[in-house]
Amino acid sequence: MTRAPSAPKSARPEAKDYRSYSFWLETAGEELAPRPSVPGPVEADVAILGAGFTGLWTAYYLLAQDPSLRVVVLEAEIAGFGASGRNGAWCSSGFPVSPGELQRRFRREAARELLIEMRGAVEEVGRIATAEEIDAQYFRGGQLRVAHGPSQLPAIESAYESLRGLGLEDDLRLLDADETAGRVRITDARGALFNPHCATIHPARLARGLARTVERLGGEIFERTPVTDFEAGGKNVPRLVTDSGEVRARTVVLAGEAYLARLRKLRRQVLPIYSLIVLTEPLSEERWAEIGWEGRECVASNRYTIDYLSRTEDGRILFGGRGAPYRYGSRIRDEYDRHEPTHQMLRHTARNWFPALEGVRFTHAWGGPLAVPRDWMPTMSYDPSQGVATARGYTGQGVATANLSGRTLADLILGRDTGITRLPTVDHESRPWEPEPLRWLGARYVQRGLMKVDNRAERTGEPPTGKTLAEWLGKH
Ligand SMILES: Cc1cc2nc3c(=O)[nH]c(=O)nc-3n(C[C@H](O)[C@H](O)[C@H](O)COP(=O)(O)OP(=O)(O)OC[C@H]3O[C@@H](n4cnc5c(N)ncnc54)[C@H](O)[C@@H]3O)c2cc1C
């Protein structure tokens, strides 16, 4: 995959080769020709910044409940350009804050309800894809959290225990090394926790299909329309500001995830961190026979520095991970999507996990920014007095979460008091990240420190102590 150099800054960005941003966008099954930009000032009931999963699900549920609404979505590039069109394909009930920590912060019942809703979101994505005839390649294979090496066995046991503590263990299964190998053969896998509440999707097909569905329901999507600022209501009418004019609305929805850090008013609300992915060519039947993985579960180990794997519908292995450096000033640029040392490390690790990959080509490498809030807790909020709603901060676990966000924001905006409008995510406020250069110093210290902790655990076979400064800072 090659990519033309980034376009120079201009009011209307040059059309990019959007297919080059990920394997998913390349195989979205369409040309990705941009929709028209906003033609000038527009009045709407709801104006949404961002045509990723959050913005599109919000538009979808608003229109599904009230077809009379004028819903306008403004997208800087094209629908699915951001993380929604580039991710690891996991549609998972996993939540950025661990079950134990959720319970500690919000008490048992609220933590339990939130995680049950996350499980519901995994099903809901599949249900709507079917109902709306979106070819999202939804496949419910569950998830295997693998203990990769002896140091990781305590992590899967404690993951099981914390879900058991919430009474959510019924359909989980702790697998020993042989049972794990019966599902997928990974070098040095010592066991795994199987969780059925997870599916794989084709992210770009889901995002693009959702965009078409929103339009069919009467929503309007303007692409290549960057929002440069927003104004809350109160004395004025809430609005999204673009170089072509303002979109004034009763409610504006900020659904730009990592890219929100580019807006002056939200600069310190989320930390953009890059997640990177490598992808193999389709494997032969012989190689698959060696690896197994017929169940196509989403697979991860327990590294702080995160790895995530999936098996694509056309028989490739996707191997993703973090490790690319945080960029000073929360900068997001196309060239950061590729970081050769991290991509190289991912290829190397993939071959390590699967010796059957010897001689197999890696055909794609890409990445994108995700958003980390200061306390790792996503927010889904709406302030009716200001006419501003937002959902953000998924820390790389946003595919199913964004569906929950869309339903939650729609209910909040429509004034409906439902179970999901009382979850701990609603109106949650995270404190802002530190100003630079502290932010950069802290983020890089934690990134490097956690990498060292992971490497030491792998080398020694001893689990992390949880007592290093990097581990402490990573949680505070
Ligand atoms: C490499 C990678 C792998 C991941 N893997 C997984 C995974 O396997 N499972 C999982 O659950 N999550 C994963 N995530 C996270 C998940 O993809 C995201 O949390 C989710 O897609 C967020 O959706 P979103 O709509 O909120 O944001 P995005 O998809 O990032 O969409 C935001 C949109 O807003 C637009 N935008 C931003 N600013 C402006 C502006 N000023 N004006 C107009 N438009 C704007 C952007 O162009 C973009 O299209 C991954 C993320 C990355 C980067």
Side-chain angles (χ1 to χ4, degrees):
M1 236 174 19
T2 53
R3 182 183 302 163
S6 306
K9 271 193 185 158
S10 69
R12 290 273 162 84
E14 293 296 310
K16 298 177 174 174
D17 176 11
Y18 291 115
R19 293 164 56 93
S20 73
Y21 282 82
S22 72
F23 168 75
W24 304 121
L25 287 164
E26 184 186 309
T27 57
E30 50 164 313
E31 285 308 308
L32 305 179
R35 295 171 168 84
S37 305
V38 75
V42 171
E43 305 273 336
D45 294 307
V46 181
I48 300 177
L49 175 160
F53 289 143
T54 301
L56 293 170
W57 281 123
T58 304
Y60 175 80
Y61 288 109
L62 281 168
L63 289 162
Q65 292 180 77
D66 184 351
S68 72
L69 289 175
R70 183 164 188 200
V71 177
V72 169
V73 183
L74 302 183
E75 164 55 49
E77 301 286 353
I78 57 164
F81 172 81
S84 300
R86 311 185 193 191
N87 57 60
W90 288 41
C91 178
S92 147
S93 55
F95 193 75
V97 181
S98 70
E101 181 64 16
L102 278 177
Q103 183 167 355
R104 200 184 63 74
R105 290 189 201 173
F106 304 106
R107 299 183 189 277
R108 185 174 188 276
E109 221 25 59
R112 193 180 136 77
E113 275 163 25
L114 175 56
L115 295 180
I116 290 172
E117 285 300 339
M118 284 300 302
R119 292 179 172 186
V122 174
E123 276 177 35
E124 173 77 355
V125 170
R127 192 180 72 76
I128 301 291
T130 306
E132 301 294 353
E133 297 181 359
I134 299 171
D135 172 26
Q137 299 180 0
Y138 182 92
F139 179 82
R140 181 81 181 267
Q143 185 207 335
L144 282 172
R145 182 165 169 174
V146 172
H148 192 238
S151 67
Q152 294 190 0
L153 274 168
I156 59 169
E157 280 151 18
S158 91
Y160 177 82
E161 283 308 322
S162 57
L163 283 166
R164 199 163 74 95
L166 294 172
L168 294 174
E169 81 286 13
D170 267 6
D171 42 14
L172 307 182
R173 281 198 56 206
L174 271 172
L175 310 178
D176 64 20
D178 286 344
E179 289 170 315
T180 306
R183 288 174 181 260
V184 52
R185 280 177 284 290
I186 297 170
T187 308
D188 210 18
R190 303 295 176 103
L193 177 60
F194 175 73
N195 178 341
H197 303 283
C198 186
T200 50
I201 49 153
H202 186 303
R205 284 179 184 247
L206 177 58
R208 306 286 303 170
L210 258 181
R212 284 191 296 273
T213 307
V214 164
E215 287 176 318
R216 213 184 52 244
L217 294 176
E220 293 158 84
I221 301 175
F222 296 106
E223 296 186 331
R224 294 177 59 208
T225 303
V227 172
T228 53
D229 195 7
F230 68 94
E231 291 292 340
K235 286 195 202 113
N236 305 311
V237 180
R239 70 197 76 178
L240 298 179
V241 180
T242 79
D243 286 344
S244 318
E246 294 179 348
V247 178
R248 292 149 63 94
R250 266 187 295 157
T251 304
V252 298
V253 179
L254 308 170
E257 191 61 346
Y259 305 88
L260 291 175
R262 284 176 164 171
L263 294 177
R264 192 174 42 82
K265 291 171 184 151
L266 297 176
R267 191 145 289 159
R268 286 167 53 198
Q269 295 307 313
V270 288
L271 189 82
I273 291 287
Y274 276 80
S275 196
L276 267 48
I277 288 175
V278 294
L279 186 78
T280 68
E281 63 187 327
L283 305 190
S284 64
E285 278 183 27
E286 295 73 43
R287 290 190 203 265
W288 277 122
E290 221 175 295
I291 293 169
W293 208 355
E294 288 91 8
R296 286 182 53 203
E297 300 89 345
C298 293
V299 173
S301 78
N302 297 276
R303 286 173 66 90
Y304 283 125
T305 40
I306 308 285
D307 43 41
Y308 51 93
L309 294 77
S310 51
R311 175 178 170 167
T312 63
E313 198 178 67
D314 67 345
R316 301 163 186 262
I317 290 182
L318 177 154
F319 203 111
R322 306 217 189 124
Y326 164 75
R327 305 292 182 156
Y328 190 88
S330 296
R331 273 197 306 263
I332 295 174
R333 288 194 183 148
D334 282 354
E335 54 262 41
Y336 301 160
D337 295 349
R338 290 182 170 75
H339 184 250
E340 193 42 36
T342 306
H343 278 132
Q344 197 52 42
M345 179 272 288
L346 292 171
R347 288 184 205 101
H348 177 79
T349 313
R351 290 191 200 283
N352 216 324
W353 281 43
F354 302 107
L357 291 185
E358 180 66 41
V360 166
R361 274 186 328 126
F362 285 86
T363 52
H364 295 71
W366 73 91
L370 50 85
V372 186
R374 187 65 183 81
D375 60 358
W376 295 55
M377 182 70 185
T379 184
M380 303 169 189
S381 68
Y382 174 53
D383 179 348
S385 72
Q386 297 297 308
V388 178
T390 186
R392 60 177 186 244
Y394 310 123
T395 311
Q397 306 214 51
V399 171
T401 323
N403 172 272
L404 180 59
S405 290
R407 284 183 283 135
T408 305
L409 292 191
D411 284 353
L412 290 170
I413 293 166
L414 296 174
R416 300 181 62 211
D417 181 10
T418 57
I420 55 175
T421 61
R422 276 172 263 141
L423 292 174
T425 38
V426 172
D427 294 338
H428 176 76
E429 282 185 36
S430 307
R431 67 184 193 279
W433 283 93
E434 288 73 4
E436 296 291 17
L438 276 182
R439 189 157 78 235
W440 181 83
L441 286 168
R444 291 299 294 134
Y445 181 84
V446 171
Q447 282 188 309
R448 286 205 195 94
L450 293 182
M451 184 76 80
K452 274 193 205 153
V453 171
D454 280 339
N455 293 344
R456 190 183 311 121
E458 263 161 38
R459 224 177 32 247
T460 61
E462 295 289 325
T465 58
K467 289 184 181 153
T468 62
L469 181 59
E471 285 163 287
W472 187 85
L473 285 172
K475 288 189 194 136
H476 290 86

